[in-house]
DNA sequence: GACTGGGCGCTTTTT
DNA sequence: GCGCCCAGTC
């Protein structure tokens, strides 16, 4: 079991190298999520699911949540849909049910529990599961003694990678299947726990010895990856975390370069510096660009680097960040496909019911949903029996019926042809190209939008050629579960530079690593400073630092544009920690001031006229002076120095 | 019911 | 700097 598809792929490769391809095939290797999907499909009716259940991604989740909030007549100024999505995800990952939540009696909890239930109902009505449900339904499935016995019989040895990231349901699955045989091997590092926000529970790894009494513990403190300089930096940072297994890595490598820290004027200079540095290093070392990685905290950061790399003609591979799958055209086409695969998928139906416009507007949809709720029927059923309902216009019923007919006949034609032909036919039948012409008068943007559509055809082609199961259902599954991985050809490509988030870098290694934007507010992220939960950010920095084999460069800037406004920023406290220095109190105070909920002391100097619009913004702007001199002129300090 | 323009709020990380 | 939502207009 792994946590990412990338890790699963690598694991498969290594196993094949060890035991040969043929034997490797007998092992089940995959993420928890894909393991659960497969199991749930196999035992669908026992799990209380239709075998054609769909999987909804984060965008669908958001739509479902908005709908749930509308149903409950909660204005989204009151509870933000995206906040609700993440809170409910967290609850699911902690195995907390709506009922249990309600039991606390807290007013907010009770309301949240309503939202929780409504949201679940919406998903169920659509016949879809969200990512968290995949795990939850699996836990429920193996409560059945017969099924559990079968699983225990089939999987007599379990191996879990990155065990510190295990959440409640995942732990439950491992425990249920593994307890009987006690053949459970896990690998993990509490210092690399960076998924607390999605319910990962470090206590699981700390308690492993209790759960599996016969366990042998092997400590791996010798590091064979990085130079002593890099390891020293990593240790220096991580020891500032109080709650952790006390340990310190030792490097087995020979001494190398000191860690390089650069402070640039702004993002632009940062990108320029990093790319120039990489260019030069690559030229000197004569190695491919594949040994370089640029790591960042947030998905918006890579933009400038991309532009720079492009103009320099340096091949790169961007992992994470803004996804191709977030594009409107892609989402539309996938919704059509999902609807074909699963007629009950209400979320997808709602998305495309009026795309291209066919005379079914928002009000009509609202009315039909209301009828569906009243009569406890589904949206398609309401449309089909439309004449009976006086509130809905006949024209809408007609148009809706025709749309459903189109989907039905597409579904009926599914068997006739291969996947690629089918996808092409669907795009033609729904008239998507015409729709693009209608929406985008500009030729260039239209071409770009169409490109995304053809990209789906390409993906279908690749799937058809490579997958053991070229069905539509499997295609959709792979797409929703793998939406971050492009194609494996890029990953192994040794002359491409890698750009990725710190999160997705875990488990990987690169000869030379650049961590960019190492500033207060970014690493540690503003939100975590606010919530006083900087430890996980420190672990994230630790993960980033330990990705580097030979050379590590950290960069930060003096000012950065945020929300379209430029503001002075400070170097991250982690840079001070890494140099073995105390973080200046001044910096901590300033970060508190800037990002924290309340100012540390009273607010004397600004009771005057604060523009009524957004007082928060106004105070903030006033309170951030230029970069404090004590940090800019630090002798051989941060500017261009090494440690 | 579709379209357009202005205002608003937001940007953490992933399966 | 962006996309989303809403209100107003055709």
């Amino acid at each position: 079991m792994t946590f990412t598809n990338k890790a699963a792929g690598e694991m498969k490769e290594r196993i094949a190298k060890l035991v040969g391809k043929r034997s490797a095939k007998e092992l089940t290797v995959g993420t928890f999520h894909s393991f659960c999907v497969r199991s749930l499909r196999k035992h669908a009716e026992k799990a209380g699911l239709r075998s054609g259940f769909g999987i909804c991604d984060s965008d669908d989740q958001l739509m479902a949540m908005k709908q749930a909030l509308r149903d409950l007549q909660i204005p989204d100024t009151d509870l933000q849909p995206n906040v609700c999505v993440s809170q409910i995800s967290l609850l699911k990952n902690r195995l907390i049910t709506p009922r249990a939540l309600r039991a606390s009696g807290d007013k907010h909890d009770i309301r949240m529990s309503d939202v929780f239930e409504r949201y679940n109902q919406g998903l169920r009505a659509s016949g879809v599961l969200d990512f968290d449900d995949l795990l939850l339904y699996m836990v429920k499935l193996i409560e059945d003694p017969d099924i559990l016995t079968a699983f225990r019989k089939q999987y007599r040895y379990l191996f879990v990678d990155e065990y510190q990231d295990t959440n409640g349901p995942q732990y439950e699955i491992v425990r249920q299947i593994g307890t009987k045989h006690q053949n459970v091997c896990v690998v993990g590092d509490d210092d690399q726990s960076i998924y607390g926000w999605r319910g990962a529970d470090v206590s699981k790894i700390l308690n492993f010895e209790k759960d599996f009494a016969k366990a042998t513990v092997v400590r791996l403190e010798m590091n064979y990856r990085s130079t002593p300089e890099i390891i020293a930096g990593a240790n220096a940072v991580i020891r500032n975390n109080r709650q952790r297994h006390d340990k310190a890595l030792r490097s087995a490598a020979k001494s190398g370069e000191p860690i390089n820290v650069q402070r640039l004027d702004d993002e632009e200079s940062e990108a320029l510096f990093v790319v120039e540095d990489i260019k030069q290093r690559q030229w000197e070392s004569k190695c491919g660009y594949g040994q370089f990685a640029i790591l960042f905290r947030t998905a918006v950061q890579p933009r400038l680097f991309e532009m720079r790399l492009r103009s320099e003609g340096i091949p790169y591979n961007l992992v994470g960040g803004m996804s191709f799958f977030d594009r409107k055209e892609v989402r539309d086409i996938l919704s059509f496909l999902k609807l074909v695969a699963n007629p009950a998928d209400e979320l997808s139906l709602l998305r495309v019911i009026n795309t291209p416009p066919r005379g079914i507007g928002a009000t009509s949809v609202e009315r039909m949903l209301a009828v569906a709720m009243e009569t406890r029927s589904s949206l398609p059923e309401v449309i089909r029996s439309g004449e009976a309902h006086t509130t809905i216009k006949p024209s809408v019923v007609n148009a809706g019926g025709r749309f459903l007919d189109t989907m039905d006949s597409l579904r009926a034609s599914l068997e006739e042809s291969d996947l690629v032909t089918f996808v092409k036919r669907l795009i033609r039948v729904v008239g998507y190209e015409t729709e693009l012409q209608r929406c985008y008068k500009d030729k260039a943007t239209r071409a770009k939008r169409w490109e995304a559509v053809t990209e789906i055809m390409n993906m279908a082609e690749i799937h058809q050629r490579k997958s053991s199961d070229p069905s539509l259902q499997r295609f959709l599954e792979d797409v929703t579960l793998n939406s971050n991985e492009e194609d494996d050809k890029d990953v192994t490509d040794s002359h491409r530079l890698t750009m990725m988030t710190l999160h997705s870098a875990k488990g990987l290694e690169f000869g030379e690593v650049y961590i960019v934007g190492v500033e207060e507010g970014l690493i540690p992220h503003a939100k975590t400073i606010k919530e006083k939960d900087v430890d996980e950010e420190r672990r994230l920095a630790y993960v980033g630092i330990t990705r580097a084999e030979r050379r590590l460069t950290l960069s930060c800037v003096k000012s950065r544009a945020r929300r379209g406004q430029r503001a002075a920023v400070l170097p991250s406290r982690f840079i001070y920690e890494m140099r073995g220095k105390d973080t200046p109190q001044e910096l901590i105070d300033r970060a508190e001031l800037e990002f924290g909920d309340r100012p540390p002391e009273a607010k004397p100097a600004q009771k005057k006229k604060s523009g009524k619009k957004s007082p928060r913004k106004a105070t903030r702007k006033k309170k951030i002076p230029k970069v404090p001199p004590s940090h800019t002129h630090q002798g051989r300090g941060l500017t261009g120095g090494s440690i």
Side-chain angles (χ1 to χ4, degrees):
Chain A
M1 305 287 215
T2 65
F3 283 83
T4 66
N5 293 299
K6 179 170 266 163
E10 238 165 78
M11 189 79 76
K12 268 184 211 160
E13 243 169 64
R14 290 184 201 176
I15 291 169
K17 261 189 206 148
L18 281 172
V19 302
K21 264 198 175 147
R22 175 123 31 105
S23 311
K25 276 216 168 117
E26 292 175 32
L27 292 158
T28 303
V29 182
T31 62
F32 273 101
H33 290 87
S34 61
F35 173 68
C36 292
V37 176
R38 261 174 275 162
S39 308
L40 289 171
R41 290 240 189 268
K42 199 166 157 195
H43 305 283
E45 75 290 11
K46 277 246 162 140
L49 296 164
R50 272 169 288 195
S51 74
F53 68 85
I55 302 161
C56 80
D57 59 28
S58 29
D59 196 73
D60 297 330
Q61 277 183 294
L62 194 61
M63 298 234 302
M65 184 56 73
K66 283 180 186 166
Q67 189 57 47
L69 292 174
R70 265 195 296 265
D71 291 347
L72 294 172
Q73 318 216 316
I74 298 173
D76 53 12
T77 44
D78 232 11
L79 281 178
Q80 287 168 5
N82 55 344
V83 173
C84 290
V85 167
S86 53
Q87 287 202 2
I88 281 168
S89 170
L90 203 54
L91 289 167
K92 286 185 176 182
N93 285 327
R94 289 184 178 152
L95 288 163
I96 297 170
T97 60
R99 190 188 292 179
L101 182 64
R102 185 175 293 275
S104 78
D106 178 82
K107 229 169 83 190
H108 177 262
D109 283 352
I110 288 173
R111 190 154 78 143
M112 199 43 129
S113 139
D114 291 338
V115 175
F116 195 168
E117 261 167 356
R118 183 79 230 159
Y119 165 81
N120 274 347
Q121 272 170 24
L123 294 192
R124 229 177 305 139
S126 282
V128 297
L129 303 185
D130 66 19
F131 289 125
D132 309 314
D133 286 337
L134 294 175
L135 304 173
L136 287 180
Y137 275 79
M138 182 69 184
V139 172
K140 221 168 69 193
L141 176 67
I142 55 179
E143 277 170 10
D144 179 313
D146 293 341
I147 301 256
L148 183 58
T149 311
F151 271 103
R152 283 176 171 170
K153 210 167 153 191
Q154 187 178 358
Y155 301 109
R156 292 183 22 231
Y157 297 86
L158 290 183
F159 177 88
V160 185
D161 196 17
E162 308 280 10
Y163 193 68
Q164 76 280 356
D165 292 331
T166 315
N167 65 24
Q170 289 164 332
Y171 166 78
E172 210 39 45
I173 293 165
V174 172
R175 193 177 66 85
Q176 287 295 356
I177 301 178
T179 307
K180 179 100 185 289
H181 304 292
Q182 297 265 322
N183 291 321
V184 179
C185 176
V186 306
V187 181
D189 175 1
D190 54 320
D191 286 336
Q192 294 191 50
S193 161
I194 53 175
Y195 285 108
W197 51 273
R198 72 175 210 208
D201 185 354
V202 202
S203 71
K204 299 290 189 274
I205 196 169
L206 301 176
N207 288 334
F208 187 79
E209 294 163 75
K210 275 185 219 146
D211 295 330
F212 297 90
K214 290 189 285 180
T216 312
V217 178
V218 181
R219 292 184 166 273
L220 306 169
E221 286 184 294
M222 185 60 89
N223 179 296
Y224 297 92
R225 177 186 294 149
S226 316
T227 63
E229 287 79 4
I230 292 168
I231 294 300
N235 283 334
V237 170
I238 200 66
R239 80 166 158 249
N240 292 283
N241 273 1
R242 306 303 300 272
Q243 290 200 310
R244 58 184 286 263
H245 265 175
D246 198 27
K247 61 180 163 356
L249 292 182
R250 294 181 315 257
S251 167
K254 62 176 195 280
S255 182
E257 279 181 57
I259 298 172
N260 184 18
V261 179
Q262 291 288 339
R263 187 140 191 246
L264 292 313
D265 281 340
D266 53 22
E267 304 95 303
E268 203 119 1
S269 345
E270 185 184 39
L272 188 68
F273 162 75
V274 169
V275 173
E276 282 303 312
D277 200 47
I278 289 176
K279 230 169 77 183
Q280 194 184 336
R281 300 283 306 181
Q282 190 273 337
W283 190 79
E284 283 168 7
S285 69
K286 306 261 182 325
C287 294
Y289 281 111
Q291 66 172 321
F292 295 92
I294 301 174
L295 307 182
F296 42 86
R297 176 67 233 265
T298 68
V300 287
Q301 281 170 270
R303 263 199 155 117
L304 279 172
F305 290 89
E306 256 192 298
M307 276 164 58
R308 222 33 273 152
L309 290 167
R310 254 174 222 254
S311 71
E312 293 294 336
I314 297 174
Y316 66 89
N317 184 19
L318 178 63
V319 184
M322 302 270 144
S323 171
F324 164 74
F325 296 89
D326 295 336
R327 297 172 65 164
K328 183 180 177 303
E329 304 74 42
V330 178
R331 304 209 57 85
D332 284 346
I333 302 295
L334 287 179
S335 289
F336 283 119
L337 289 170
K338 283 182 185 175
L339 201 49
V340 170
N342 174 14
D345 189 339
E346 196 162 275
L347 287 174
S348 297
L349 176 59
L350 286 174
R351 182 178 177 94
V352 293
I353 195 165
N354 203 28
T355 315
R358 51 178 68 85
I360 306 173
T363 37
S364 296
V365 171
E366 276 307 315
R367 281 179 199 157
M368 290 192 287
L369 282 174
V371 173
M373 212 176 343
E374 249 170 61
T375 60
R376 291 175 186 277
S377 54
S378 69
L379 194 53
E381 280 165 349
V382 172
I383 295 171
R384 290 297 190 198
S385 65
E387 307 83 39
H389 303 288
T390 45
T391 45
I392 301 159
K393 293 206 293 189
S395 67
V396 169
V397 174
N398 277 333
R402 271 203 304 282
F403 178 63
L404 292 180
D405 289 342
T406 313
M407 289 294 114
D408 285 344
S409 67
L410 277 167
R411 192 173 307 115
S413 75
L414 196 51
E415 298 294 314
E416 295 169 13
S417 51
D418 57 40
L419 182 64
V420 178
T421 321
F422 177 78
V423 172
K424 286 185 179 166
R425 180 162 63 235
L426 181 137
I427 292 167
R428 184 161 32 82
V429 170
V430 301
Y432 206 79
E433 198 167 5
T434 329
E435 165 69 0
L436 288 185
Q437 280 166 11
R438 192 187 63 85
C439 290
Y440 308 102
K441 308 287 176 231
D442 179 54
K443 206 174 160 197
T445 53
R446 198 165 60 217
K448 229 181 193 156
R449 303 272 173 172
W450 181 247
E451 204 177 290
V453 178
T454 52
E455 196 49 42
I456 300 179
M457 301 184 200
N458 293 340
M459 279 166 36
E461 197 276 329
I462 291 171
H463 178 82
Q464 188 171 305
R465 193 155 34 86
K466 284 172 94 174
S467 174
S468 52
D469 172 12
S471 70
L472 173 62
Q473 181 173 301
R474 184 56 186 266
F475 174 60
L476 290 171
E477 215 160 77
D478 283 3
V479 164
T480 21
L481 251 43
N482 283 346
S483 60
N484 276 321
E485 267 104 302
E486 307 287 289
D487 211 38
D488 34 358
K489 69 170 193 292
D490 290 342
V491 179
T492 48
D493 205 337
S494 68
H495 60 267
R496 271 173 198 275
L497 173 151
T498 304
M499 278 201 291
M500 60 169 83
T501 60
L502 287 162
H503 280 87
S504 38
K506 194 173 61 159
L508 306 176
E509 57 186 22
F510 302 92
E512 311 205 359
V513 169
Y514 295 77
I515 307 179
V516 300
V518 189
E519 297 142 25
E520 286 292 300
L522 227 39
I523 333 180
H525 194 272
K527 207 142 193 164
T528 65
I529 297 176
K530 200 174 188 161
E531 283 153 18
K532 303 225 182 328
D533 185 22
V534 175
D535 283 9
E536 185 153 306
E537 298 288 295
R538 192 172 279 112
R539 291 193 288 268
L540 194 55
Y542 175 79
V543 166
I545 294 168
T546 52
R547 295 311 93 197
E549 291 166 4
R550 297 187 301 281
R551 189 163 176 270
L552 175 67
T553 304
L554 308 186
S555 69
C556 53
V557 300
K558 291 178 185 164
S559 83
R560 183 177 291 275
R562 255 193 317 154
R563 277 209 239 132
Q565 284 234 316
R566 186 154 291 281
V569 291
L570 298 173
S572 167
R573 61 190 75 181
F574 302 149
I575 290 180
Y576 292 92
E577 293 175 2
M578 204 167 74
R579 300 160 77 222
K581 295 194 173 177
D582 287 337
T583 308
Q585 190 56 42
E586 199 188 335
L587 177 138
I588 304 282
D589 289 346
R590 193 165 295 280
E592 274 282 312
L593 198 71
E594 192 177 346
F595 305 117
D597 296 319
R598 39 130 210 140
E601 30 187 300
K603 18 171 177 179
Q606 60 116 127
K607 55 210 150 182
K608 285 189 181 169
K609 41 175 179 198
S610 59
K612 228 156 231 159
K613 266 198 191 155
S614 68
R616 256 245 242 64
K617 220 186 227 168
T619 46
R620 183 194 281 173
K621 239 200 281 174
K622 206 170 260 172
K623 276 185 184 164
I624 305 169
K626 294 264 168 177
V627 182
S630 55
H631 298 311
T632 32
H633 312 296
Q634 270 220 335
R636 51 185 181 85
L638 294 164
T639 323
S642 50
I643 303 179

